[in-house]
Amino acid sequence: MDTAGTVSPAQGSLGPAPNPPNNSGLGGSNLKIHEYQAKEILAKYGVAVPKGEMANTLEEATEVTRKLFAEGAAGVVVKAQIHAGGRGKGGGVKVARTREDAELYAKNILGMQLVTHQTGPQGQKVQRLLIEETAAIDRELYLGIVLDRATSELVFMASQAGGMEIEEVAAKDPEAIFKESIDPAVGFGAWQARKLAFALGLKATQITAAVAFLQSLYKAFIETDASLVEINPFITTKDDKLLALDAKITFDDNALFRHPAIKALRDTAEEDPLEVEASKYALNYIKLDGSIACMVNGAGLAMATMDIIQYAGGSPANFLDVGGGATQEQIEHAFEILLADAHVKAILINIFGGILRVDRLATGVVAATRNLHVKVPIVLRLEGTNVEEGRKILAESGLNFQVGETMKEAAELVVAAAAKAGA
Ligand code: GDP
Ligand code: MN
């Protein structure tokens, strides 16, 4: 479904799940890879994919194009490689019948700021292309494997409505999506693959190949510890072949230690630079659209803090969990990351001191405020171990901190401070 989150079909809607915060313990996050990388992995499992190669430059694109035509391709498709779906509609997928057209498309797409419904209005810069031999498409179908969190089982989904956003199909015509739940003790049965193949309306001559195709996808999902495998479109060709024309795989971060080769496929150029920076210091940071930065310890408290900011009439600029055992150094880096977001008008620090003692946090906050010349107003709400010492350190710092006695009061203070600063 071209979303980062895992989707639960049992929720009734296949709408995009929000991005779960990185490594926050809220379900973990998922590594995204490019289409060309997903196809390389799937090909190893025997999944049929079009012939093609990735190109980083125009020269490489020209060379791949030359080769494909020389090997008999009737045309090539030039595909932008970004970590977002909807590229076709955004102008990032073009079919060329001649070498000249292919080169022109490559020139236009490489380096373009590609806007799709998944990139946000600013788009994503295209840094590489996948150039493939075109296929003579007969039908565009859909295949996907996701985890259903309600039943703790994988669900294999198939639909005749391929090439469209599956969320749209799920909303308008949920009956058009066929599903097979997979018992983890038994695995994906050949009978289930056959059921889905028939549901797709495939011809008798295509069923055996389709069953093998679906089984290969399932094997790839299991053996790579994937969190999502999606083929949209899964096509039949005029000469009765089955192909993965597009491929999306995301992987469960918590299992990546078992797959160093997959871990190495991470492309930080596709990620938010501040999120990449945060991950270096083991900070769980997700940038959001609002104006109030939050620094919180613990994912649950972070969620509650974002809620209470909204309740007080403000909007959070981020989700930042510094973790239970944050060091002064981490707190300084956290500040740097929060302040790098130009939308931030005020900061709310909401800490429940446990392993991270409040006095140590206060020392870190005072040091960071001085070292980084923090100008935006800071509101704190502190509780827990050594809270009195912590408050004393803040009061004696000579810096202008506001302290809220309760979460509600702190949220109201920070919303007022942000409003005053022009949020
Ligand atoms: P997405 O828009 O990011 O999901 O990118 P896709 O890889 O799914 O491509 C979008 C659409 O382009 C597909 O649904 C196809 O209709 C079309 N397309 C992709 N590759 C080919 C090809 O080789 N030949 C033709 N005729 N169309 C293609
Ligand atoms: Mn697609």
Side-chain angles (χ1 to χ4, degrees), residues 2 35 39 50 76-77 79 84-89 93 95 97 132-137 140 162-165 232-233 245-247:
D2 291 355
E35 174 194 7
K39 282 176 167 169
V76 299
V77 57
K79 308 187 76 176
R87 296 162 301 164
K89 276 190 201 138
V93 177
V95 176
R97 293 288 152 214
E132 289 181 333
E133 179 175 9
T134 47
I137 302 176
E140 296 199 29
M164 299 168 55
E165 298 305 323
N232 189 19
L245 208 62
D246 189 7

Side-chain angles (χ1 to χ4, degrees), residues 218-231:
Y218 175 73
K219 190 158 190 269
F221 186 108
I222 295 296
E223 290 187 6
T224 63
D225 287 309
S227 44
L228 169 82
V229 167
E230 184 174 61
I231 308 300

Side-chain angles (χ1 to χ4, degrees), residues 1 11-12 22 26 93 113 135 152 163 170 180 207 236 269 308 328 331 342-343 346 372 374 383:
M1 49 223 46
Q11 287 165 354
N22 281 329
L26 290 173
V93 177
Q113 203 66 26
S152 308
E180 284 295 317
I207 297 291
T236 64
I308 204 159
Q328 183 170 330
I331 290 179
H343 296 111
L372 303 168
V374 179
E383 282 302 341

Side-chain angles (χ1 to χ4, degrees), residues 405-421:
E405 290 300 320
T406 61
M407 262 175 78
K408 183 165 176 286
E409 190 192 336
E412 286 162 358
L413 284 171
V414 78
V415 171
K420 213 171 141 193

